[in-house]
Amino acid sequence: MARLVMKFGGTSVADVARIRNVARHVKREVDAGHEVAVVVSAMSGKTNELVAWCRDASLLHDAREYDAVVASGELVTAGLLAIVLQEMGIQARSWQGWQVPILTDGAHGTARILGVEGAELVARFDERHEVAVVAGFQGLHRATGRVTTLGRGGSDTSAVALAAAIKADRCDIYTDVDGVYTTDPRIDDRARRLDRISFEEMLEMASLGAKVLQVRSVELAMVHGVRTYVRSSFDDPADPRSGTLICDEEEIVEQQVVTGIAYSKDEAQLTLRRVADKPGVAAAIFGPLADANINVDMIIQVVSDDTTTTDITFTVPRADYDRARTILEAVRGAVGYATLQGATDVVKVSAIGIGMRSHAGVAARAFRALAEKGINIRAITTSEIKFSVLIDAAYTELAVRTLHSLYGLDKAA
Amino acid sequence: MARLVMKFGGTSVADVARIRNVARHVKREVDAGHEVAVVVSAMSGKTNELVAWCRDASLLHDAREYDAVVASGELVTAGLLAIVLQEMGIQARSWQGWQVPILTDGAHGTARILGVEGAELVARFDERHEVAVVAGFQGLHRATGRVTTLGRGGSDTSAVALAAAIKADRCDIYTDVDGVYTTDPRIDDRARRLDRISFEEMLEMASLGAKVLQVRSVELAMVHGVRTYVRSSFDDPADPRSGTLICDEEEIVEQQVVTGIAYSKDEAQLTLRRVADKPGVAAAIFGPLADANINVDMIIQVVSDDTTTTDITFTVPRADYDRARTILEAVRGAVGYATLQGATDVVKVSAIGIGMRSHAGVAARAFRALAEKGINIRAITTSEIKFSVLIDAAYTELAVRTLHSLYGLDKAA
């Protein structure tokens, strides 16, 4: 007997028929003798509808009221799934975020989970063999007694936090793909599903553009050592396929040098030409951006033609591009640059693998391979287990496929 | 300065545009210096959608889960109204049922309010001049920590209970009509809006078929002496018309003998012919119906042609007609009747007025007037402030208009 948390997203609970399918997945695990808590999202489309109403009510809406409205979607799914499970003869009850309670801080709209008090829920596993159906994406800010939401994708975070709190043996994330792939299969049809991936690698994959899991939920799984299994909710509940287990690297026997290739189109590049090469200039540039909550990612600095000034190139999230330009134009006097250039048709391609720690020259091979294909590298960043290159967006697919082959990730033809 | 509870139903909050209109009504009262709590229903159609999903999930759904699902609709409206009020520069916050809390018993789906702990809400009137926007129709069963609903029309009850708890000067029920009429204006265009009506009369009106308010909310208003004002939410918020005040009879200066004519089509008639006229026969008939939770209303008993038996006629809610027939057929042996007859094409027409207490012969005048129109009376019941006649449904309009004129209720031509 194991204790499981099973999480189902919006497309998996889009209507009552699909909720019934989810219930069959739950029944399979209950029949196998497991203790089960299920975390559900709102029916797909419902959260967007609620968000649109809030915007329609006021563009500057109170985040506390936004949360009160938007968190209602998950209550519906949780109650309906409990009803369907009961009809299948399974003891079940729904839990709203404040009922568990899932406790968060007061950062409405993007609240962080502080703790989950799952004692009553666990007691009912024992006393009643009852499945707990928990509304995802939400919590309670105890000091004010108000409902909070965790931000988009928050239900994954709810599931992992609940799994950590009730000491679950595994957290199964059911989604619309059957696992984590070596790269995006829509870009490279030779992508392979990974049987296992380490927390660290998955964290980098998610941070660098892989959409399968939210960064926050992977972080949480890593910190608490929650073995997290990504699998498909569209499989036959009686005979589901394997997925990908995200686990401690000790659990992974055969470690590749590179595990996956990720890419992100959410980048924009900014270049300041002929910046005076004097102390404090970096602070003059990046201080105001930091103050405006704009994350600067890749930074490269090269000496200009005239040798007394430098050119500084860096990336920001594409959503912040216009704001960043405005800020940089405002500080032009203080910084003293000649011209400001920018580009949004860029992409960041990254290779991730724990094996890089013990293998030198992994990134160098990539630079060579990309150069051979005529792909110009605008910027580079590296860390212990990944490297990223910023390139023209037009070369996205070519670069991904080139690196995927280079590191032996292609599946057998 | 007064303290007001304002209640808006589903059609008044059907979309964000209409919620904005509601906010203007609220603003008018706030600008006048009043302390305001608002109770809202779900957007029209939303509760039906949620109920349909529950039915689709299982016809035998757990009432606790049904409540968890169905109570979510009001959370959306409460949050949206708070947002719109804030945009208009009015301090406001939403309160979910469990947050106030509105405490109920554990009768899920038809819970009764046990108490409202409105201290924090009231403190905020003073400290922040804050409008409280309360989700109607729902409460918290404290012993289990679960969400309950009050049944259809429950938001009126929420509003009156809240008004009683916070000692409001008035509870304004905004609805799709502009008050309580002497009779249904769709049946008689000479119906007049009443300026005032006593609690007792309103309770009879509601019990006997008038749809404007739920019986439970009028009961509660009467018990706690909550002055309740029925008015239109479709008026210009800047210049609303008058409505009808439901209040203590002492507040009503000019009392009519008859205040209103109500009718109800939710009736069915059953007649047992040639029942043995012996002790215990009434118990043998009505005991099993009571055990099945079927309310028996009008009862008349007349001696049959043969003088050793009687005929017993009574009414039951039309929804229970088939069940009642089945039960009566089952007890035929014990009761010993000759034939069972029934009719569902009947209507109960009632006249209500506190003045009947001090005026004799009020009902007798009606019987005469109806007989003159050729309307056959199948059954009669009277009480201190009302009488009812059961007649063929085909004569509904004629009977209502006849009584409306008879008691001088027609408006001036």
Side-chain angles (χ1 to χ4, degrees):
Chain A
M1 191 205 68
R3 181 173 291 171
L4 299 181
V5 171
M6 306 172 72
K7 184 262 168 181
F8 295 89
T11 53
S12 308
V13 293
D15 53 39
V16 174
R18 295 210 48 79
I19 291 173
R20 201 161 273 133
N21 192 57
V22 162
R24 290 190 195 104
H25 281 285
V26 175
K27 186 174 190 313
R28 181 188 67 238
E29 303 295 6
V30 170
D31 288 349
H34 301 318
E35 294 175 345
V36 179
V38 190
V39 174
V40 287
S41 300
M43 294 167 157
S44 60
K46 283 292 158 190
T47 302
N48 288 340
E49 181 181 61
L50 295 167
V51 168
W53 284 338
C54 287
R55 293 217 175 108
D56 197 7
S58 171
L59 287 172
L60 292 167
H61 44 251
D62 181 344
R64 294 164 299 188
E65 299 303 341
Y66 170 93
D67 280 0
V69 171
V70 173
S72 67
E74 282 73 16
L75 308 183
V76 175
T77 337
L80 293 176
L81 178 55
I83 290 172
V84 170
L85 285 169
Q86 289 175 357
E87 197 192 37
M88 291 183 181
I90 297 168
Q91 290 276 352
R93 80 154 271 193
S94 69
W95 295 82
Q96 310 197 348
W98 60 272
Q99 286 176 326
V100 177
I102 294 171
L103 300 171
T104 73
D105 62 17
H108 283 276
T110 55
R112 292 193 76 85
I113 294 178
L114 301 176
V116 177
E117 295 180 355
E120 193 187 337
L121 188 151
V122 167
R124 284 160 166 262
F125 285 153
D126 224 38
E127 292 159 17
R128 309 178 181 224
H129 304 287
E130 187 179 86
V131 171
V133 184
V134 178
F137 177 62
Q138 64 191 270
L140 172 71
H141 182 224
R142 185 163 270 168
T144 57
R146 302 201 67 175
V147 171
T148 54
T149 68
L150 311 179
R152 281 308 172 108
S155 291
D156 287 350
T157 310
S158 304
V160 172
L162 179 62
I166 67 172
K167 300 191 176 18
D169 296 283
R170 213 173 64 219
C171 180
D172 289 0
I173 307 280
Y174 286 79
T175 181
D176 50 2
V177 294
D178 67 341
V180 180
Y181 277 70
T182 49
T183 194
D184 184 345
R186 289 168 303 181
I187 281 205
D188 192 338
D189 59 12
R190 294 164 305 178
R192 284 185 296 112
R193 185 181 57 74
L194 295 160
D195 282 327
R196 299 192 169 200
I197 185 171
S198 70
F199 291 121
E200 291 82 356
E201 289 168 322
M202 190 65 229
L203 186 59
E204 292 288 359
M205 291 279 275
S207 304
L208 296 168
K211 305 280 189 214
V212 64
L213 279 179
Q214 289 283 317
V215 174
R216 290 167 65 197
S217 56
V218 183
E219 264 173 3
L220 203 61
M222 184 163 79
V223 167
H224 295 283
V226 175
R227 300 168 79 241
T228 302
Y229 195 49
V230 177
R231 56 195 311 187
S232 171
S233 68
F234 291 83
D235 284 354
D236 176 2
D239 184 25
R241 288 172 293 170
S242 299
T244 299
L245 183 69
I246 307 164
C247 56
D248 208 88
E249 59 183 290
E250 271 83 65
E251 280 201 65
I252 301 171
V253 182
E254 268 192 278
Q255 190 69 59
Q256 304 273 61
V257 174
V258 169
T259 300
I261 310 297
Y263 67 95
S264 166
K265 297 187 165 176
D266 299 328
E267 311 290 323
Q269 178 191 330
L270 285 158
T271 298
L272 301 174
R273 297 273 179 217
R274 296 181 193 279
V275 180
D277 195 5
K278 64 187 180 192
V281 72
I285 296 168
F286 298 117
L289 292 173
D291 291 345
N293 260 321
I294 296 175
N295 271 326
V296 173
D297 181 18
M298 309 167 114
I299 304 177
I300 50 173
Q301 182 169 345
V302 291
V303 175
S304 315
D305 312 338
D306 64 10
T307 73
T308 63
T309 60
T310 63
D311 292 351
I312 297 182
T313 293
F314 55 91
T315 59
V316 296
R318 189 173 297 185
D320 295 328
Y321 176 70
D322 289 336
R323 271 199 316 136
R325 280 201 79 121
T326 307
I327 289 165
L328 292 170
E329 276 155 17
V331 299
R332 181 169 184 167
V335 175
Y337 60 82
T339 53
L340 170 63
Q341 296 173 334
T344 55
D345 55 344
V346 293
V347 69
K348 183 167 69 174
V349 177
S350 307
I352 296 103
I354 284 188
M356 287 191 205
R357 285 197 201 123
S358 48
H359 287 75
V362 175
R365 287 173 60 200
F367 306 152
R368 213 176 306 127
L370 294 173
E372 278 168 15
K373 303 279 184 179
I375 300 172
N376 183 37
I377 297 176
R378 289 160 167 262
I380 297 168
T381 49
T382 64
S383 75
E384 206 183 19
I385 65 163
K386 60 100 184 169
F387 68 86
S388 303
V389 294
L390 189 73
I391 60 171
D392 287 354
Y395 293 96
T396 308
E397 291 80 3
L398 181 60
V400 167
R401 289 185 199 128
T402 300
L403 298 185
H404 198 263
S405 291
L406 180 70
Y407 295 114
L409 298 176
D410 295 353
K411 69 180 166 196
Chain B
M1 190 206 73
R3 180 173 292 171
L4 300 182
V5 171
M6 306 172 72
K7 184 263 168 179
F8 295 89
T11 53
S12 308
V13 294
D15 54 37
V16 174
R18 294 210 48 78
I19 290 172
R20 200 163 273 128
N21 191 59
V22 162
R24 291 191 195 102
H25 281 285
V26 175
K27 186 175 190 312
R28 181 189 68 240
E29 304 294 5
V30 170
D31 288 350
H34 301 318
E35 294 175 344
V36 179
V38 190
V39 174
V40 287
S41 301
M43 294 166 155
S44 60
K46 283 292 159 189
T47 301
N48 288 341
E49 182 180 62
L50 295 168
V51 169
W53 284 339
C54 287
R55 293 216 176 112
D56 198 7
S58 171
L59 286 174
L60 292 167
H61 44 253
D62 181 344
R64 295 165 299 187
E65 299 303 341
Y66 170 93
D67 279 359
V69 171
V70 173
S72 68
E74 282 74 15
L75 308 181
V76 174
T77 336
L80 293 175
L81 178 56
I83 290 172
V84 170
L85 285 169
Q86 289 175 359
E87 197 192 37
M88 291 183 179
I90 297 169
Q91 291 277 352
R93 79 153 272 194
S94 69
W95 296 82
Q96 310 196 347
W98 61 271
Q99 287 176 325
V100 176
I102 293 172
L103 300 173
T104 73
D105 62 17
H108 283 276
T110 55
R112 294 193 76 85
I113 295 178
L114 300 178
V116 178
E117 295 180 357
E120 193 186 338
L121 188 151
V122 167
R124 284 160 167 261
F125 285 151
D126 223 38
E127 292 161 17
R128 311 178 180 222
H129 304 287
E130 188 178 86
V131 171
V133 184
V134 178
F137 177 60
Q138 62 190 270
L140 173 70
H141 182 224
R142 186 163 268 167
T144 57
R146 302 201 69 174
V147 170
T148 53
T149 67
L150 312 180
R152 282 307 172 107
S155 291
D156 287 351
T157 309
S158 304
V160 173
L162 180 63
I166 67 173
K167 300 191 179 10
D169 297 282
R170 212 174 64 218
C171 180
D172 289 1
I173 307 280
Y174 287 78
T175 181
D176 49 3
V177 294
D178 68 342
V180 180
Y181 277 70
T182 49
T183 194
D184 185 346
R186 288 169 304 181
I187 280 206
D188 191 339
D189 60 11
R190 296 164 303 177
R192 284 184 296 111
R193 186 181 56 72
L194 294 160
D195 282 326
R196 300 194 169 198
I197 184 171
S198 70
F199 292 122
E200 290 82 356
E201 288 167 322
M202 191 65 228
L203 187 59
E204 292 288 359
M205 292 278 275
S207 304
L208 296 169
K211 307 280 190 212
V212 64
L213 279 179
Q214 289 282 319
V215 174
R216 288 169 64 196
S217 56
V218 182
E219 265 174 0
L220 203 60
M222 183 164 77
V223 168
H224 295 284
V226 175
R227 299 169 79 241
T228 303
Y229 195 49
V230 176
R231 55 195 308 187
S232 171
S233 68
F234 292 83
D235 284 354
D236 177 3
D239 185 25
R241 288 171 293 169
S242 299
T244 300
L245 183 68
I246 307 162
C247 58
D248 207 272
E249 59 183 290
E250 270 82 66
E251 280 201 68
I252 301 171
V253 182
E254 268 191 279
Q255 190 69 59
Q256 305 274 59
V257 174
V258 168
T259 301
I261 310 297
Y263 66 95
S264 165
K265 298 188 166 174
D266 298 329
E267 309 292 323
Q269 177 192 329
L270 285 157
T271 299
L272 301 175
R273 296 275 179 215
R274 297 182 192 277
V275 180
D277 196 3
K278 62 187 181 192
V281 73
I285 296 169
F286 299 118
L289 292 173
D291 292 344
N293 259 320
I294 297 175
N295 272 326
V296 172
D297 181 17
M298 308 169 116
I299 303 178
I300 48 172
Q301 183 169 342
V302 290
V303 174
S304 313
D305 312 339
D306 63 10
T307 71
T308 63
T309 60
T310 61
D311 292 350
I312 298 182
T313 293
F314 55 90
T315 60
V316 296
R318 190 174 297 186
D320 295 327
Y321 176 69
D322 290 337
R323 272 201 313 136
R325 279 199 79 120
T326 306
I327 289 166
L328 292 171
E329 276 154 17
V331 299
R332 179 166 185 171
V335 175
Y337 59 83
T339 53
L340 170 62
Q341 295 172 334
T344 55
D345 55 344
V346 292
V347 68
K348 183 168 66 177
V349 176
S350 307
I352 297 105
I354 283 188
M356 287 192 206
R357 283 196 204 126
S358 46
H359 287 74
V362 176
R365 287 175 59 200
F367 307 153
R368 211 175 306 128
L370 294 174
E372 277 168 15
K373 302 279 182 179
I375 301 172
N376 183 38
I377 298 176
R378 290 162 166 260
I380 297 168
T381 48
T382 63
S383 76
E384 205 184 19
I385 66 164
K386 60 103 184 169
F387 68 85
S388 303
V389 294
L390 189 73
I391 60 170
D392 288 354
Y395 293 94
T396 307
E397 291 79 3
L398 180 60
V400 167
R401 289 184 200 128
T402 300
L403 299 185
H404 198 263
S405 291
L406 179 69
Y407 296 114
L409 298 175
D410 295 353
K411 68 180 166 197

